[in-house]
Amino acid sequence: MNASTFNLFASLDWSDIGMATLETLTMVGGSLLFTVLLGLPLGVVLFLTGPRQPLEHARLYAALSLLVNLIRSTPFVILLIILIPVTVTLIGTSIGVPGAIPPLVIGATPFFARLVENVLREVDRGIIEASQAMGATLPQIVFGALLPETFPGLLAAITVTAITLVSYAAMSGVIGGGGLGDLAIRFGYQRFQSDVMFVTVAVLLLLVQALQVFGDRLVQRFSHK
Amino acid sequence: MIEIDNISKHYVVDGVAIPAISGISLRVEAGEVFGIIGVSGAGKSTLVRTLNLLERPDSGRIRVDGSDITTLSKDQLLRYRRKTGMIFQHFNLISAKTVGENIRFPLKLAGEYTRAEMDRRVDELLDLVELGGHRDKYPAQLSGGQKQRVGIARALANHPKLLLCDEATSALDPQTTQSILSLLLDINRRFGLTIVLITHEMDVIRRICDRVAVLDRGVLVEEGVVADVLLHPQHEITRALVQESCPSATTGQRLGLSGPLFRLTFLGAVTYQPILQSISAALDVGFNIVEGVVGRIKETPYGQITVQALGDAADPARIAAAFGEHAVRCEALPS
């Protein structure tokens, strides 16, 4: 058993796996940053323009909501392919780590924005009302009350999004995105090297597990409910 | 201080207009504690929210210190709200901020204070509401009464002249309610702060209000000095609200007593004088106390008892006249 296990991994190039892991981390980290930067404001606007909210605006809300649903309902593999021309226009290439980041951001931003909207909706209306009664402007309500109040919830949303991005990043291997997904497809799938496939999945699992534990710890740390 | 002039407000629910308050006019004097009471759904919450325009009336005017707040510009309204405190049934504290940060929030909004000034003011307010050692705690670590104290400190941060209380004690147990009411009364006296509160509990009105308005289905049905409204309610709804703690006009029937029944109302110093005994001796009439209550309305002692007059000389007119001489209101009840 031990010997056969040893043999199974004998042909593995661990440096390839190390490199691919690093690429995946870069793709996830980079796209997570932009996803949060774009998705947080989008989520806040979705919340504020929603029904019975301070900036209630039925048409704007419906339009944003449709856009979000449109992207979210498109399978990510399809989205990756559709977005190739956009990515090329944006950064000049559609492959490798940089080429994977724009579709990852575009795919994950609506997802994250919807999570943000839901987190904000959980805030007791009384807190908005109390802030208004104190004479807070809308930006003061958002930055002084809503975002601090939902900070743990937002951290949880970022954790979920990061984990989603790990699987999206792996999928981007299909269009030459680099990272663990790329490795799994080229070696594990096309060359029938099951050992590569196995190790790739194991590393992805470790990554997801680590993100979840770290995210949960952060949420715990900032939660005062 | 506040002149509410014929305001109305309706909501649209499923395309149907539902009036919340209709044609309400009221005056609240500077420095008084004004109570608004009604059963749930009477419109009291809407009414108190019009006073800082959390609810904007459809029609009518609200003048505070002479200026109509419904015509304020956006900036003016923000400034007005910063000078008008409000506390809530469920406290509405920000759970992610400490007690100190919660109280600091309105100070930051005002943007007029330095860090040091804000720190000093927060400490001052914490002392005022007797939460000295709780500055760095989070709301989740406090009891309901303590949370409401934080709410009060936050509402007072910018030295308001008017404090609005939306069912401020309804989520608290009776003992905590008493301590919060004492604090509100203390603040009212020390700072001459005008307080407008809404409640469904007559006891809150009895404890701290000077005047009271009774609301029923969006309409103002009765208004006056608390003792008058409490002891001689005119409207059916008011009687229903008072009934829980006061003797009613139907006592005779209810107790199945015959013989002339009188309801005597003592207000002020006469409450503690032996008037019943002296009139009993003077008219040679015996009095049988069948029901009653003696207590205080705010600081004023009062008593309201129902007596059965016994004896051949029990002539209702003479008895009423005798009590009248002692400034005790005497009403013959149907028996």
Side-chain angles (χ1 to χ4, degrees), chain B:
Chain B
M1 174 170 189
I2 305 173
E3 293 161 79
I4 299 174
D5 187 12
N6 199 22
I7 60 164
S8 299
K9 165 93 187 172
H10 75 280
Y11 298 107
V12 177
V13 180
D14 298 329
V16 184
I18 299 184
I21 48 174
S22 314
I24 290 185
S25 298
L26 273 179
R27 280 179 68 96
V28 177
E29 304 301 333
E32 76 175 336
V33 183
F34 191 93
I36 298 166
I37 190 166
V39 296
S40 63
K44 41 190 202 308
S45 214
T46 304
L47 180 56
V48 78
R49 278 170 171 68
T50 61
L51 297 180
N52 58 4
L53 293 190
L54 284 180
E55 299 283 0
R56 193 171 274 277
D58 302 330
S59 61
R61 286 196 309 179
I62 300 168
R63 283 192 294 180
V64 178
D65 288 332
S67 62
D68 186 351
I69 61 167
T70 62
T71 61
L72 294 179
S73 71
K74 232 176 160 188
D75 277 358
Q76 287 170 320
L77 178 59
L78 290 179
R79 246 172 289 145
Y80 168 73
R81 282 177 173 171
R82 283 168 192 164
K83 287 284 178 191
T84 305
M86 187 166 191
I87 56 174
F88 304 86
Q89 179 174 4
H90 298 295
F91 327 122
N92 297 347
L93 302 176
I94 297 174
S95 68
K97 292 183 194 256
T98 63
V99 166
E101 288 163 352
N102 265 287
I103 300 173
R104 214 183 159 96
F105 188 41
L107 296 169
K108 268 189 181 164
L109 295 179
E112 297 165 3
Y113 305 99
T114 63
R115 269 168 178 281
E117 283 170 336
M118 285 195 276
D119 285 340
R120 212 173 319 128
R121 182 74 185 135
V122 168
D123 286 336
E124 212 172 274
L125 288 158
L126 282 171
D127 284 343
L128 176 71
V129 299
E130 293 164 10
L131 286 180
H134 298 73
R135 183 187 175 130
D136 297 322
K137 286 191 181 167
Y138 286 90
Q141 296 167 282
L142 304 179
S143 68
Q146 290 172 324
K147 285 182 200 169
Q148 193 58 288
R149 285 170 186 272
V150 178
I152 292 170
R154 182 176 71 172
L156 297 179
N158 284 317
H159 302 279
K161 282 191 284 184
L162 172 63
L163 178 66
L164 307 174
C165 308
D166 177 11
E167 296 275 9
T169 58
S170 298
L172 304 174
D173 63 65
Q175 207 179 342
T176 313
T177 294
Q178 294 305 320
S179 80
I180 293 293
L181 292 178
S182 304
L183 176 62
L184 289 174
L185 198 54
D186 177 51
I187 291 162
N188 162 255
R189 295 206 170 123
R190 270 162 73 179
F191 308 117
L193 183 73
T194 308
I195 297 180
V196 176
L197 64 85
I198 66 168
T199 181
H200 63 271
E201 297 166 312
M202 205 36 114
D203 202 51
V204 171
I205 303 285
R206 193 193 322 272
R207 265 297 304 277
I208 68 168
C209 291
D210 298 303
R211 287 194 308 134
V212 60
V214 184
L215 226 54
D216 178 38
R217 279 166 284 178
V219 179
L220 183 70
V221 294
E222 195 163 346
E223 183 201 347
V225 172
V226 172
D228 291 344
V229 174
L230 237 54
L231 298 174
H232 304 289
Q234 301 301 312
H235 194 274
E236 163 193 5
I237 280 287
T238 321
R239 274 197 284 268
L241 287 164
V242 170
Q243 202 156 39
E244 294 159 25
S245 45
C246 277
S248 77
T250 56
T251 306
Q253 296 150 16
R254 188 159 42 81
L255 299 179
L257 291 169
S258 59
L261 288 177
F262 299 91
R263 185 169 66 166
L264 307 173
T265 306
F266 303 76
L267 191 61
V270 291
T271 308
Y272 300 139
Q273 288 165 12
I275 291 169
L276 207 54
Q277 194 222 345
S278 62
I279 290 179
S280 173
L283 299 184
D284 190 23
V285 175
F287 291 112
N288 183 21
I289 299 176
V290 296
E291 204 169 54
V293 53
V294 180
R296 280 170 182 266
I297 293 174
K298 208 165 180 181
E299 253 70 66
T300 313
Y302 81 99
Q304 194 166 52
I305 57 174
T306 304
V307 297
Q308 182 183 28
L310 307 167
D312 300 335
D315 170 30
R318 279 182 66 208
I319 291 172
F323 281 108
E325 277 171 37
H326 289 87
V328 173
R329 184 160 164 173
C330 173
E331 298 152 280
L333 297 181
S335 49

Side-chain angles (χ1 to χ4, degrees), chain A residues 15-137:
Chain A
S15 78
D16 268 3
I17 288 169
M19 188 67 88
T21 305
L22 210 62
E23 282 179 2
T24 292
L25 284 174
T26 314
M27 287 192 289
V28 171
S31 54
L32 183 63
L33 177 71
F34 288 105
T35 298
V36 171
L37 286 179
L38 295 172
L40 187 63
L42 180 59
V44 170
V45 172
L46 268 174
F47 168 74
L48 291 175
T49 56
R52 292 181 307 282
Q53 301 302 346
L55 282 183
E56 182 170 357
H57 193 300
R59 263 188 287 172
L60 181 58
Y61 180 76
L64 288 174
S65 201
L66 183 68
L67 180 71
V68 164
N69 289 345
L70 190 72
I71 300 177
R72 285 194 62 197
S73 59
T74 310
F76 187 64
V77 177
I78 310 288
L79 198 66
L80 278 170
I81 296 163
I82 297 173
L83 287 174
I84 289 176
V86 179
T87 310
V88 172
T89 319
L90 276 176
I91 56 171
T93 176
S94 72
I95 57 163
V97 171
I101 288 182
L104 286 175
V105 172
I106 292 169
T109 296
F111 173 72
F112 180 63
R114 202 55 107 177
L115 290 180
V116 170
E117 184 198 2
N118 286 338
V119 167
L120 292 175
R121 275 201 199 158
E122 289 297 309
V123 176
D124 188 342
R125 292 195 63 81
I127 286 182
I128 298 180
E129 193 179 41
S131 309
Q132 286 173 328
M134 283 185 263
T137 60

